Amino acid sequence: MIFYIMGKSASGKDSLYKKLLSANIGLNKVAIYTTRPKRDGEKDGNEYYFVDKKYLEDNSDKVIEKRVYHTVFGDWYYATLDDGNINKNDNYVIIGTLESYNILKKYFGNEFLFPIYLEVDNEIRRQRAIDRENMQEVPKFDEMERRFKADELDFSEEKIKEAGIIDRYKNDDFDKCFEKIVSDIKKVMR
């Protein structure tokens, strides 16, 4: 199974991803590829593989899905590659978007993907994003605002419904949210 984490910016995806991997419940990581710059504290191969556009072009035969975000700093690409790190005998956790989730469902089969859609009130998300940017050596508040606006389209109720996502995980209390997600993952893995 691929447990697929998604949600709007600052909904807690990275925190959930890291905690699920450290929870020792049998999940393997799938790091996607990106051309965006590393945030302070990120390491290549953990959250993402940080590459340049040429790397994605040179490996185009392995690209399952690729998307581009036209940021205030230029185009940033994100891609999932069939790089030999995913097989159907193991369980994985990955972070992505509704768009990439739908593409992976087609590629691997609907029965192999389990959506984990995180929801957080907008005011809480905004404060989390501001706090995260304030911790960066060079905060990118313009990009933060662009992401917030884009999220309203990318995660519209219509698109959530089209993706077949029914269950949502309210992430106002991270520990309670995490416990519920782990419980659901264990049920699916049985």
Side-chain angles (χ1 to χ4, degrees), residues 16 30 35 41 43 57 62 82 90 92 103 115-116 131 148 150 164 167 169 173 184 187:
L16 176 62
V30 176
T35 63
K43 295 179 184 166
E57 291 167 355
K62 297 177 183 174
D82 191 350
D90 291 318
Y92 299 91
I103 293 169
I116 299 173
D131 292 345
F148 266 75
D167 295 326
Y169 297 91
D173 181 323
D184 289 352
K187 287 176 191 171

Side-chain angles (χ1 to χ4, degrees), residues 20 38 44 48 73 78 111 123:
L20 284 172
K38 287 183 207 173
D44 191 47
Y48 300 95
F73 300 100
Y78 291 77
E111 66 276 15
E123 301 81 33

Side-chain angles (χ1 to χ4, degrees), residues 5-171:
I5 301 169
M6 61 196 127
K8 294 177 180 177
S9 181
S11 60
K13 299 179 298 291
D14 289 334
S15 296
L16 176 62
Y17 177 79
K18 290 173 189 173
K19 190 157 183 178
L20 284 172
L21 286 171
S22 68
N24 203 23
I25 57 174
L27 296 178
N28 299 294
K29 71 177 173 182
V30 176
I32 62 174
Y33 294 75
T34 184
T35 63
R36 82 151 167 79
K38 287 183 207 173
R39 291 183 186 136
D40 295 342
E42 289 181 325
K43 295 179 184 166
D44 191 47
N46 279 344
E47 299 83 3
Y48 300 95
Y49 291 109
F50 295 95
V51 298
D52 58 19
K53 189 177 173 188
K54 183 173 180 347
Y55 181 91
L56 295 178
E57 291 167 355
D58 290 348
N59 290 279
S60 62
D61 59 325
K62 297 177 183 174
V63 172
I64 299 170
E65 62 86 23
K66 181 172 78 173
R67 55 207 180 276
V68 62
Y69 297 100
H70 307 291
T71 76
V72 297
F73 300 100
D75 289 347
W76 291 349
Y77 291 85
Y78 291 77
T80 306
L81 274 61
D82 191 350
D83 56 6
N85 290 322
I86 302 173
N87 68 64
K88 291 189 177 182
N89 297 323
D90 291 318
N91 296 303
Y92 299 91
V93 62
I94 188 171
I95 300 173
T97 64
L98 278 172
E99 178 184 2
S100 60
Y101 170 75
N102 286 326
I103 293 169
L104 264 65
K105 276 196 318 186
K106 288 179 186 173
Y107 188 83
F108 289 108
N110 189 44
E111 66 276 15
F112 291 104
L113 270 85
F114 182 88
I116 299 173
Y117 184 79
L118 296 178
E119 283 191 326
V120 177
D121 293 330
N122 283 338
E123 301 81 33
I124 295 170
R125 283 191 321 107
R126 182 170 300 283
Q127 189 58 54
R128 287 179 182 175
I130 290 168
D131 292 345
R132 178 174 64 197
E133 288 306 316
N134 279 327
M135 292 183 344
Q136 303 299 309
E137 188 174 316
V138 179
K140 296 177 174 73
F141 291 107
D142 290 345
E143 177 56 21
M144 181 195 84
E145 289 300 328
R146 185 208 61 80
R147 285 194 316 266
F148 266 75
K149 289 177 186 172
D151 281 347
E152 295 309 311
L153 296 173
D154 294 344
F155 292 98
S156 69
E157 286 300 317
E158 181 179 321
K159 288 182 180 179
I160 293 169
K161 185 177 179 180
E162 286 172 5
I165 295 172
I166 298 167
D167 295 326
R168 301 173 190 210
Y169 297 91
K170 191 80 169 159
N171 190 19

